[in-house]
Amino acid sequence: MRAPVFATANGLLTTDPLTNYLAAPAGHPDTTPFGISMLERIEAAPKDAILGLGEAFKADPRSEKINLSVGVYQDEHGKTPLLECVKEAERRLAANPTTKSYLPISGLPEYCKATAELAFGAGNEPLVSKRVAWAQTPGGTGALRVSADFIAANLPNSTVWMSEPTWPNHPQIFNAAGIATKTYPYFDAPNNSLNLAGMLAAIEKMAAGDVILLHGCCHNPTGIDPTAAEWKQIADAVFARGVMPLLDFAYQGFGDGLEEDAVGLKAFSRPGAELMVCSSYSKNFGLYRERVGALFVVTSTAAAAASVQTQIDKVIRSNYSNPPAHGGEVVATILRDPELRKQWEGEVTTMRNRINDMRHALVEALAAQGVPGDYSFMTRQRGMFSFSGLTKEQVEALRSEYAIYIVGSGRINVAGLTPANIERVAQCIGEVVGQTVAK
Ligand code: LMR
């Protein structure tokens, strides 16, 4: 057999990679002991705008550090709890192990049915009419990526429109699938409210066949949601334009309640109407690391749903083949057992109430510290996040000078505030706002 020939960029050509390497000028970027490098020149990617902060927080040696960046719920002791209903479901599953064989490509059928009923409401017309194709996915992010791959394969000319601002991972997910993205106005900064007029005007200019990505509730990062009447106006405009709604529904139960938070989804769930929903159970079941989500694609007929199901299965098969089982089994066990479900609803209520208490407490603490400005708008925001209005410089000063981590957009994870840290957070916000005002 002939020995392989290795070439280096400086013209050396021998059959011995080590000879080439040693003969190359010191520090030559193209050579390794094994020949020309394909990887040496790859530049480091920037850290993730949210998860990168979590890593930086872990590495920060300061004992007074406070993490209000990544959207993870913490209890009043600063711990992310394992829900009691989850513990009980896991006990039951462990007591009755069945198999570790593969799940179907679209996941556990009973999970898909139970989560679809949670999102749409049991007895909702698209479910009854069998107009829904679905899949259990690895988290809400997995659902978004499957929806992106599905769009790329089946609606290849569609642009996906997303709110300005939005979760920083949204454009990355759709761009990674080769889909063009654009933004529509969402946030009315001077009034800390929804820019409904701007949004509706943008929808009118979207091309028929485009997709509009909406946050089903608890908008991330602003915490500003449309009212029921505004959702209806938005749905009217979207359907009138021939645009496909895609709802990212990651925080059901964290705004006003499990049913109340589905008001936007239900505004789109009309007879014969098409829509896509990406759900996550990371937050409301506290199952972050189990990666539990679902994609629902509502078609206009049962026959179309059957075809779409095959296309969803196709994109999943060439991605992760079929989903991990454990988290889905936990969620299905809880949702299908009346006693566990009641316990879960109580635990969601506890988390929601604590977040809302902290929202009010932060506004009071900022006022008590005499921080310039009116922060009462924070009490009108919903879900885990508060869009504080803090500037990039103020966010950076909070991190570098006071070891308080919030997202660069000024997004505060209210669910990370506790009675023990809230006063210091308000005081430090006061310091950075004061420094800026004084300049
Ligand atoms: C967030 O927005 O902080 C969460 O959705 C976590 C994540 O994956 O970014």
Side-chain angles (χ1 to χ4, degrees):
M1 202 178 81
R2 274 185 56 195
V5 174
F6 293 87
T8 66
N10 64 357
L12 292 168
L13 193 67
T14 82
T15 55
D16 178 16
L18 191 58
T19 308
N20 289 341
Y21 180 67
L22 294 175
H28 194 288
D30 286 342
T31 56
T32 76
F34 301 99
I36 293 176
S37 169
M38 295 164 74
L39 307 177
E40 282 293 310
R41 287 165 179 250
I42 295 176
E43 286 176 13
K47 291 272 185 206
D48 184 78
I50 296 175
L51 298 186
L53 284 171
E55 287 167 23
F57 177 81
K58 271 199 192 119
D60 191 327
R62 292 173 288 182
S63 59
E64 71 277 21
K65 63 186 179 177
I66 298 173
N67 190 2
L68 305 176
S69 58
V70 186
V72 173
Y73 175 83
Q74 295 172 33
D75 64 16
E76 66 274 29
H77 308 296
K79 298 269 176 288
T80 300
L82 187 51
L83 299 191
E84 291 303 321
C85 59
V86 168
K87 282 189 211 166
E88 177 53 27
E90 289 188 320
R91 267 193 289 270
R92 291 185 193 180
L93 289 165
N96 186 23
T98 50
T99 180
K100 294 287 182 191
S101 182
Y102 294 123
L103 289 185
I105 293 174
S106 57
L108 276 174
E110 61 268 32
Y111 166 90
C112 292
K113 181 168 186 293
T115 52
E117 287 177 356
L118 176 65
F120 291 82
N124 193 274
E125 184 276 322
L127 294 175
V128 175
S129 307
K130 302 206 177 309
R131 293 198 288 119
V132 188
W134 56 34
Q136 172 186 343
T137 57
T141 303
L144 286 160
R145 182 57 199 253
V146 172
S147 79
D149 288 340
F150 171 80
I151 292 167
N154 297 284
L155 311 169
N157 299 320
S158 301
T159 293
V160 175
W161 293 80
M162 35 196 77
S163 63
E164 172 54 43
T166 193
W167 183 46
N169 209 18
H170 275 153
Q172 299 194 133
I173 291 169
F174 288 91
N175 293 158
I179 296 172
T181 55
K182 287 187 181 161
T183 59
Y184 59 85
Y186 187 84
F187 182 53
D188 173 357
N191 297 306
N192 280 296
S193 63
L194 176 69
N195 178 2
L196 182 66
M199 189 176 175
L200 293 174
I203 291 169
E204 271 180 29
K205 296 205 184 85
M206 291 174 192
D210 278 354
V211 176
I212 181 168
L213 176 62
L214 298 142
H215 299 227
C217 67
C218 308
H219 184 271
N220 178 4
T222 67
I224 293 164
D225 288 340
T227 62
E230 288 167 342
W231 272 123
K232 188 180 169 310
Q233 270 180 280
I234 294 165
D236 286 346
V238 165
F239 287 134
R241 194 70 204 136
V243 167
M244 166 79 79
L246 166 57
L247 271 69
D248 183 354
F249 199 33
Y251 297 90
Q252 187 178 7
F254 272 37
D256 291 311
L258 288 163
E259 282 214 14
E260 293 83 341
D261 291 351
V263 67
L265 192 162
K266 286 183 186 152
F268 286 96
S269 183
R270 298 178 180 179
E274 297 180 335
L275 81 132
M276 299 192 220
V277 180
C278 296
S279 281
S280 166
Y281 307 101
S282 298
K283 275 76 176 184
N284 51 14
F285 283 82
L287 282 169
Y288 305 88
R289 65 176 59 177
E290 297 296 352
R291 312 309 298 134
V292 211
L295 169 66
F296 307 110
V297 180
V298 184
T299 60
S300 54
T301 62
S307 286
V308 164
Q309 185 68 56
T310 63
Q311 293 293 346
I312 293 173
D313 288 359
K314 188 173 171 209
V315 295
I316 291 173
R317 177 65 175 138
S318 60
N319 185 348
Y320 53 85
S321 190
N322 50 72
H326 181 69
E329 286 170 347
V330 169
V331 169
T333 302
I334 294 169
L335 290 179
R336 286 152 51 86
D337 180 282
E339 196 190 322
L340 283 182
R341 186 184 175 119
K342 195 158 171 251
Q343 186 178 19
W344 171 65
E345 289 178 6
E347 292 187 84
V348 173
T349 304
T350 302
M351 291 192 278
R352 178 175 65 250
N353 289 346
R354 201 192 88 71
I355 296 172
N356 282 334
D357 288 350
M358 285 299 105
R359 224 171 243 300
H360 285 88
L362 179 60
V363 174
E364 280 165 28
L366 290 167
Q369 293 289 338
V371 180
D374 173 10
Y375 288 87
S376 61
F377 64 83
M378 287 181 174
T379 61
R380 295 192 298 276
Q381 299 169 338
R382 283 287 165 272
M384 273 184 153
F385 306 120
S386 181
F387 210 43
S388 63
L390 292 172
T391 63
K392 268 206 163 3
E393 292 69 33
Q394 290 166 338
V395 170
E396 178 49 28
L398 273 179
R399 192 192 58 75
S400 59
E401 291 172 37
Y402 303 100
I404 295 177
Y405 286 70
I406 70 172
V407 174
S409 60
R411 188 194 83 172
I412 294 175
N413 176 19
V414 183
L417 293 169
T418 67
N421 69 23
I422 197 160
E423 212 174 296
R424 179 158 177 270
V425 169
Q427 189 191 348
C428 296
I429 290 178
E431 300 277 347
V432 298
V433 171
Q435 284 167 11
T436 326
V437 170
K439 270 183 195 164

